[in-house]
Amino acid sequence: MVSYVGVLLYGVGGIVVAGMALLVAFQEKLVYVPVLPGLTKSYPVTPARLRLLYEDVWLRSSDGVRLHAWFIKVLPESRGPTVLFFQENAGNIAHRLEMVRIMIQRLQCNVFMLSYRGYGASDGYPSQHGITKDAQAALDHLSQRTDIDTSRIVVFGRSLGGAVGALLTKNNPDKVAALILENTFTSILDMAGVILPFLKWFIGGTSSKGPKLLNFLVRSPWSTIDVVGQIKQPILFLSGLQDEMVPPFHMQMLYGKAAAHNRECVFVDFPNGMHMDTWLAGGDHYWRTTQQFLEKHVPEIKEHDSSHDDKGTFIVYEDTVYLRKTT
């Protein structure tokens, strides 16, 4: 009897060890899915198919990886807000074009869509360290452009893109005006137990009560819960309550952590919103909420008068006079 129990325990232990080994070896393939099953890595459509005004942008990350992006403008000479758009973990930027088309129409904004390394036409292989560099390269590019208002750059991220965007926003308080998070997780460490329930006994984030014995093995923790409380800029949280991938309480936890340190946080939930379609299920309410957030935190500064001196242009906005320095 004892020998049978011993064999059983050894067998179970072997399966667990083998499972952990596979998880360690292939974790990037679980977190990053540049190619959806049955599809190719290339873009199925381009913005031209949707009759959007765009340019192909090629960048180099700080470690030399060649990156591709689309910069889509609402108008050729638009000085409206520019949204730096970070996608989820699966597919490529072409799969988000319909949502972006509506975003441009409703918000009258420009949108910069970055392909992470290993995604779409970008070179390399995805990792947290690498994608963090990619996001910074995209923001640096936008900050140096002369055809946009660089004081009105807003970061938008959904799911994995929210983790990317939160870290970028925290690291660049002088370049990012505001942040929009949609259906974002607290951390990959917490998501491990959601995707594979047995892992919650071994892997977990700061909110987990488990022993966290294997956290050190996770190469892409994306701990947004540890980042969001350090963000100084305004944050809009958009949460789909029917999210079938990221439990909605993750967004509530992120909001709670941020709002404890930042008074410019807004949380809005959408009862019928799922992980990928909250923007669609939310309808007009979704877009009005986002528009009001932008109007408040990245307003258009209108030059009502041509008052000049040798130091710059005087600008009037909401009865306050500002001096825009001449460069």
Side-chain angles (χ1 to χ4, degrees):
M1 179 67 178
V2 174
S3 61
Y4 284 117
V5 172
V7 169
L8 179 62
L9 290 176
Y10 276 118
V12 172
I15 292 172
V16 171
V17 170
M20 293 299 179
L22 290 172
L23 179 65
V24 171
F26 297 104
Q27 61 183 269
E28 275 79 13
K29 293 187 181 298
L30 295 174
V31 177
Y32 309 109
V33 189
V35 183
L36 293 169
L39 300 178
T40 64
K41 185 173 180 285
S42 61
Y43 305 124
V45 295
T46 70
R49 178 75 67 84
L50 279 65
R51 298 185 177 182
L52 296 171
L53 179 69
Y54 82 105
E55 64 178 275
D56 285 297
V57 178
W58 295 95
L59 307 170
R60 287 279 179 185
S61 64
S62 62
D63 58 350
V65 176
R66 187 170 182 254
L67 307 171
H68 177 253
W70 286 326
F71 185 41
I72 308 173
K73 300 190 75 173
V74 59
L75 293 169
E77 303 299 325
S78 172
R79 307 294 289 184
T82 295
V83 174
L84 176 50
F85 184 97
F86 294 121
Q87 67 159 78
E88 308 86 335
N89 72 317
N92 59 52
I93 55 176
H95 301 122
R96 281 80 194 176
L97 275 175
E98 181 58 27
M99 186 263 190
V100 166
R101 181 181 70 84
I102 303 299
M103 175 183 283
I104 291 170
Q105 290 178 350
R106 293 297 302 262
L107 304 181
Q108 291 296 291
C109 63
N110 309 309
V111 179
F112 191 92
M113 304 181 73
L114 173 70
S115 279
Y116 309 134
R117 62 183 61 200
Y119 284 70
S122 293
D123 295 340
Y125 300 92
S127 66
Q128 177 170 339
H129 184 68
I131 291 176
T132 299
K133 292 180 180 294
D134 301 344
Q136 188 65 54
L139 178 60
D140 290 345
H141 169 82
L142 284 177
S143 299
Q144 294 167 10
R145 293 187 71 115
T146 59
D147 59 341
I148 65 171
D149 186 343
T150 56
S151 70
R152 305 180 73 192
I153 296 174
V154 178
V155 169
F156 174 96
R158 181 189 296 128
S159 194
L160 172 65
V164 177
L167 184 57
L168 182 71
T169 301
K170 190 267 288 186
N171 290 340
N172 293 271
D174 57 334
K175 293 181 179 179
V176 177
L179 171 66
I180 301 173
L181 296 179
E182 180 180 321
N183 296 338
T184 298
F185 46 76
T186 54
S187 72
I188 289 294
L189 299 172
D190 289 329
M191 284 299 297
V194 173
I195 299 170
L196 299 171
F198 77 92
L199 287 179
K200 67 183 179 181
W201 300 106
F202 307 99
I203 297 174
T206 55
S207 61
S208 171
K209 297 180 180 180
K212 311 174 191 177
L213 297 176
L214 300 180
N215 279 10
F216 72 98
L217 295 175
V218 178
R219 293 186 288 269
S220 291
W222 289 115
S223 190
T224 312
I225 192 70
D226 294 327
V227 170
V228 74
Q230 302 176 55
I231 295 174
K232 309 299 184 184
Q233 301 95 312
I235 311 174
L236 173 61
F237 296 82
L238 302 171
S239 176
L241 297 185
Q242 301 303 315
D243 192 326
E244 73 285 11
M245 298 185 69
V246 177
F249 74 81
H250 279 230
M251 282 289 286
Q252 295 164 6
M253 291 181 66
L254 290 176
Y255 171 73
K257 186 67 175 289
H261 306 277
N262 185 343
R263 293 184 178 181
E264 298 293 349
C265 293
V266 179
F267 184 94
V268 183
D269 58 33
F270 301 89
N272 298 319
M274 299 181 71
H275 190 64
M276 297 289 291
D277 76 347
T278 297
W279 63 275
L280 190 60
D284 187 61
H285 179 41
Y286 178 97
W287 294 114
R288 280 191 292 104
T289 296
T290 308
Q291 183 177 28
Q292 289 167 3
F293 177 78
L294 295 181
E295 288 174 349
K296 179 178 180 181
H297 297 293
V298 286
E300 179 183 4
I301 298 179
K302 298 181 179 180
E303 299 185 14
H304 295 289
D305 184 52
S306 57
S307 301
H308 298 272
D309 67 7
D310 59 355
K311 295 182 179 179
T313 304
F314 288 102
I315 301 168
V316 180
Y317 175 70
E318 291 187 348
D319 299 325
T320 302
V321 178
Y322 300 88
L323 175 64
R324 175 174 288 171
K325 293 183 179 180
T326 303
T327 57

